[in-house]
Amino acid sequence: MANAALFIATVLIWGTTWIAIAMQVGPVPVLVSVFYRFAVAAVILVAILVVMRQLKLPALRDQPFILAQALCLFSLNFICFYNAAASIPSGLISVIFSLATIYNAVNARLFFGDRITGRTLLAAALGATGLLLLFGQDVIVDFDMGTLKGIGLAALGTLFFSLGNMASRRNSAVGISPLTANAWGMTYGAIILLFLIAVTQTPIVAPPSITYLAALLYLSAIGSVIGFTTYLMLVSRIGSSRAAYATVLFPIVALSLSTVFEGYHWSGLGLVGLALTLLGNVVIFARPLARRPPQSDARLPAGG
């Protein structure tokens, strides 16, 4: 029951964050928007842990992995996603993000020795075909460079997200709770983003509207503090590959919102492409067919 509640919460929260990200794209530079998000989230989560007297400093040997989690989950991946949102609809970013199931299967093999099955290869083929149908008109027929850039950034952001999953899996394995890892990871992520803002001399622009501020608060408190906590709790309880199954359902929520708020127009090929992409994710988690038990000797013809 607890796993189901965590799963549903993750799907509903992260299925809605993509449209909130799109609401932040505009007058505020991407680095600043992502910094605002994780600075606010870090303050909220650290304050909660302080009040609960649960704030613990991870050991020095664990700090590189907390930093890796910060880089991959709380900074670099969202720099990619926010920039992608300027080129393609937010719902389509969620479709690309749903391929995290495949990224996780491959990375779990590379980092933890988990076996890659033929099912994973089939899922990858279905996902790639689905994305080709979704974006083929823009990229191949009309050659829209903006769309191609958006796809590339969303795919890179998903890779960073998957690598962050591997860091989180390692941190959970050594006994660091998701809340502790998130609190320090978001803090480090905000510091990293502030450093990038200073190095690139990006101007810090104040939130320009109530809509932007509402999206920021939603992404910080709900999307980051609660969403990442429920997701990484799933990772620690059921593993990175099965936890990533939640991403299969994100596009259904995100594309519905994109249709209403961004005017995303569906096509026949787009629907087929979405179906294939989602099917590719589902294939990874399909239960293998049970093998038929061998016949007993009593059923065999009697010998002479």
Side-chain angles (χ1 to χ4, degrees), residues 73-130:
L73 289 183
F74 307 125
S75 53
L76 298 182
N77 60 327
F78 280 102
I79 292 173
C80 293
F81 291 138
Y82 276 64
N83 278 294
S87 301
I88 58 177
S90 61
L92 293 182
I93 299 175
S94 75
V95 176
I96 298 172
F97 182 69
S98 75
L99 296 180
T101 51
I102 298 170
Y103 280 82
N104 277 1
V106 174
N107 283 325
R109 168 63 180 174
L110 294 175
F111 292 99
F112 299 102
D114 294 0
R115 188 167 63 94
I116 293 181
T117 64
R119 184 186 306 170
T120 301
L121 298 177
L122 174 60
L126 288 169
T129 303

Side-chain angles (χ1 to χ4, degrees), residues 151-217:
I151 295 171
L153 286 169
L156 180 59
T158 305
L159 174 60
F160 282 130
F161 172 81
S162 178
L163 293 173
N165 277 216
M166 299 305 108
S168 175
R169 175 173 168 177
R170 180 269 172 196
N171 291 334
S172 294
V174 298
I176 303 174
S177 74
L179 280 174
T180 297
N182 282 357
W184 291 107
M186 289 179 185
T187 300
Y188 294 171
I191 294 171
I192 291 167
L193 289 161
L194 190 59
F195 173 77
L196 291 175
I197 289 170
V199 168
T200 59
Q201 297 184 333
T202 301
I204 296 179
V205 179
S209 65
I210 296 297
T211 299
Y212 181 98
L213 190 58
L216 171 62
L217 293 176

Side-chain angles (χ1 to χ4, degrees), residues 201-275:
Q201 297 184 333
T202 301
I204 296 179
V205 179
S209 65
I210 296 297
T211 299
Y212 181 98
L213 190 58
L216 171 62
L217 293 176
Y218 181 80
L219 288 169
S220 299
I222 308 299
S224 298
V225 174
I226 298 178
F228 270 103
T229 299
T230 58
Y231 177 76
L232 294 180
M233 285 178 69
L234 274 178
V235 170
S236 67
R237 293 167 71 100
I238 65 176
S240 58
S241 294
R242 292 197 172 276
Y245 183 54
T247 66
V248 177
L249 300 180
F250 294 166
I252 297 174
V253 178
L255 281 170
S256 298
L257 293 174
S258 183
T259 301
V260 173
F261 293 104
E262 295 180 307
Y264 176 68
H265 297 291
W266 289 92
S267 66
L269 283 179
L271 288 171
V272 174
L274 174 63

